[in-house]
Amino acid sequence: MGEHDIPKPGHTDKMISEATANSQPIRPAPPRPPGMRPEIQAQIGQQLRAVYQAIVNEPVPERFLRLIEELERKKADRS
Amino acid sequence: MTGSEAIAINLPYLRRFARALTGSQEAGDAYAVATLEAILAEQPPTPREEAEAATGGAKHALFRTFLRIWGSLSVNRVADSAEALAADRGLEAMTPMPRVAFLLSALEGFDPGQIATLLDLPETEVRSLIDRAGQEIAAHIQTDVLIIEDELIIALDLEAVVGELGLRVSEIARTRAEAVAAVARQRPGLVLADIHLADGSSGLDAVNDILGGMELPVIFITAYPERLLTGERPEPTFLITKPFRIDTVKAIISQALFFDRRARLPRAATAGPV
């Protein structure tokens, strides 16, 4: 009668769980995505200033003037 | 100059920034009003706050209060259709913090150190927000580019520049006929065109052919600008003279796409038969 090595139940399961635990794949750093450097952004900013120039030039709306007057009054009251 | 005078002087810039940030003058002004009301409700500034305001400047102090309110209050970004500028679409495509950092830096001229104090963030974080802004703009203007250029070296230079902005070159055409055929195969979102082509054909004619069927931004890159200036040219057109600087090409491509400046045929050309 031949002898056979029969592994005990549960043995292989343990091996697998140990092998997969805490494994962290090592990935190379992703390539830097293309972008616009600050100098190029500044050029877009310059164009934006032209687009919004009208806002800077237009008279300040009434409700802002009232708030600024209120600030003046409040400051005068304090001093 | 009193504090309220300083606020009055800087208010137009705050309204501009608020308009750009929120996408509409109405929403922007709502934040600006809330900012002034907050200043009005504030206790008199402590000596430390006054010293800070003196070093940072009145514009800095005003923007700092604004940003505190913008961060704490949610006014919906409603696109005002009358003011639906392409700029708004470009800015809307950005996530909030990179958009704020971009506008403070590129529109309002604050340096990264000042932005760090405005946003209560470390300067390294501000720099990475500005980097992110650059990446988000690049992603927004992502499109296919047709290069019409008969000199291979220049065409390859342009292809590299376009690639650095994250754009793809769909084709390099060397003649008017090749350009028209390339557009029939794949519709580009931007054309970079030389004017004087090798077989004697004209890049300007090629562009006019293309614009007969669509409107898209066009940038002419030529050593012979007079041929463009005297000819029937589409509007608006961008002109870069050879030899060009790579940064100039990048800046003009970015502007043409960010502001979606699509060229149309001149009126004389559209009125008559083609």
Side-chain angles (χ1 to χ4, degrees), chain B residues 66-181:
Chain B
F66 173 92
L67 285 163
R68 219 183 55 223
I69 286 162
W70 178 77
S72 66
L73 198 79
S74 171
V75 173
N76 287 342
R77 274 175 68 78
V78 184
D80 186 342
S81 64
E83 298 170 348
L85 301 164
D88 289 334
R89 288 198 296 278
L91 294 168
E92 256 165 44
M94 301 168 82
T95 51
M97 288 313 286
R99 183 168 70 227
V100 174
F102 164 75
L103 288 174
L104 288 172
S105 143
L107 178 64
E108 299 301 333
F110 288 110
D111 64 37
Q114 290 172 316
I115 298 172
T117 60
L118 283 168
L119 297 175
D120 278 326
L121 289 174
E123 197 175 319
T124 50
E125 179 67 20
V126 169
R127 288 183 191 279
S128 71
L129 280 176
I130 291 173
D131 275 356
R132 272 242 307 281
Q135 287 156 14
E136 290 183 3
I137 295 171
H140 172 68
I141 65 172
Q142 172 78 248
T143 191
D144 290 324
V145 182
L146 171 66
I147 295 177
I148 308 175
E149 171 61 75
D150 58 322
E151 290 173 75
L152 184 63
I153 306 250
I154 294 176
L156 293 177
D157 268 357
L158 289 174
E159 186 170 28
V161 172
V162 160
E164 282 172 41
L165 290 174
L167 306 167
R168 292 172 306 265
V169 171
S170 56
E171 255 180 88
I172 296 172
R174 291 166 305 169
T175 64
R176 176 182 180 178
E178 279 185 20
V180 171

Side-chain angles (χ1 to χ4, degrees), chain B residues 222-235:
Chain B
T222 179
Y224 307 97
E226 62 280 1
R227 292 186 62 167
L228 179 66
L229 299 174
T230 55
E232 280 275 297
R233 62 178 188 278
E235 290 289 341

Side-chain angles (χ1 to χ4, degrees), chain B residues 172-221:
Chain B
I172 296 172
R174 291 166 305 169
T175 64
R176 176 182 180 178
E178 279 185 20
V180 171
V183 169
R185 274 191 294 275
Q186 191 182 356
R187 186 186 173 130
L190 170 72
V191 175
L192 302 182
D194 185 11
I195 291 187
H196 188 85
L197 301 176
D199 67 345
S201 64
S202 152
L204 180 54
D205 289 340
V207 165
N208 284 336
D209 288 348
I210 293 166
L211 293 177
M214 64 189 75
E215 291 175 358
L216 78 178
V218 175
I219 299 170
F220 288 101
I221 300 179

Side-chain angles (χ1 to χ4, degrees), chain A residues 36-67:
Chain A
M36 231 145 268
R37 291 202 316 279
E39 307 88 84
I40 309 280
Q41 292 186 32
Q43 305 250 16
I44 292 183
Q46 212 180 324
Q47 296 284 313
L48 279 175
R49 281 200 284 278
V51 168
Y52 297 125
Q53 187 57 41
I55 300 169
V56 175
N57 291 346
E58 76 186 14
V60 170
E62 193 53 40
R63 55 180 167 155
F64 287 102
L65 295 178
R66 278 200 301 274
L67 282 165

